[in-house]
Amino acid sequence: MKLFIDTADIAEIRRAKDLGILDGVTTNPTLVRKIGRPYREVLSEVAKEVDGPVSAEVISIDYEGMVREARELAKIRDNINVKIPLIEDGLRAVRTLKSEGISTNVTLCFNSIQALMAAKSGATYISPFIGRIDDIGAEGMEVVEEIAAIYANYGFETEIIVASIRNPLHIKHAALIGADIATIPFDVFQKIIKHPLTDIGLAKFLEDYKKIPK
Ligand code: E4P
């Protein structure tokens, strides 16, 4: 499973990169807003920092606007893929962008039929937002299971990015289902490494080492 970080913060990206396990980055307007600098300036900085794919979202919600913006975003750097909302004009835009060789990440997906439509339109990635599904009392991971089954049934090449991750269990379940990618916020990235028994065990080993005769 590939691991992306869900942030526009360069310091967080560098920390994840230093671990040697970072495969890409996803951003959205909310994440870029936290940086407090111009949208495209931040996206350009992020894209330069990362070797793998970086998702940059369009702001338009009409077909012409999305296609125009996507072409501009894709020019920032060749590792940029364009995040397109899962709405009717968005799926039309995905089809056009695919024919131009521009990769897309179809975002704000909340059920498996939407994901089927995105794959048929030629999306490079689909992003089911599992945390937001859990938030309304439904099972986000069931949506991921269904998408994985539907894509396998028909051999779609669209990769599943499990998004809106809130905790380490989400990542475990995504891996068990066989999702292609999990995009993880920085705080959860830190949590998936730590275990209290690791810390307790390490402290005991170091303590016992000191007691070994020199
Ligand atoms: C994914 O691409 C989105 O940026 C992100 O995962 C949304 O997560 P949220 O629901 O925590 O805002």
Side-chain angles (χ1 to χ4, degrees), residues 14-25:
R14 286 193 182 138
R15 289 272 300 275
K17 229 173 99 176
D18 285 347
L19 284 171
I21 46 102
L22 187 68
D23 299 300
V25 175

Side-chain angles (χ1 to χ4, degrees), residues 23-45:
D23 299 300
V25 175
T26 51
T27 69
N28 63 41
T30 306
L31 294 170
V32 176
R33 180 186 163 215
K34 289 184 190 162
I35 308 303
R37 286 194 287 113
Y39 194 61
R40 291 195 190 179
E41 185 181 306
V42 173
L43 293 174
S44 167
E45 192 178 86

Side-chain angles (χ1 to χ4, degrees), residues 123-162:
T124 315
Y125 304 104
I126 182 72
S127 290
F129 275 30
I130 52 162
R132 294 192 195 187
I133 298 172
D134 290 355
D135 288 346
I136 58 160
E139 274 287 348
M141 273 305 159
E142 277 176 13
V143 173
V144 178
E145 275 172 29
E146 289 175 11
I147 298 170
I150 291 170
Y151 284 8
N153 283 348
Y154 299 103
F156 286 118
E157 288 177 2
T158 304
E159 290 189 66
I160 303 171
I161 304 182
V162 179

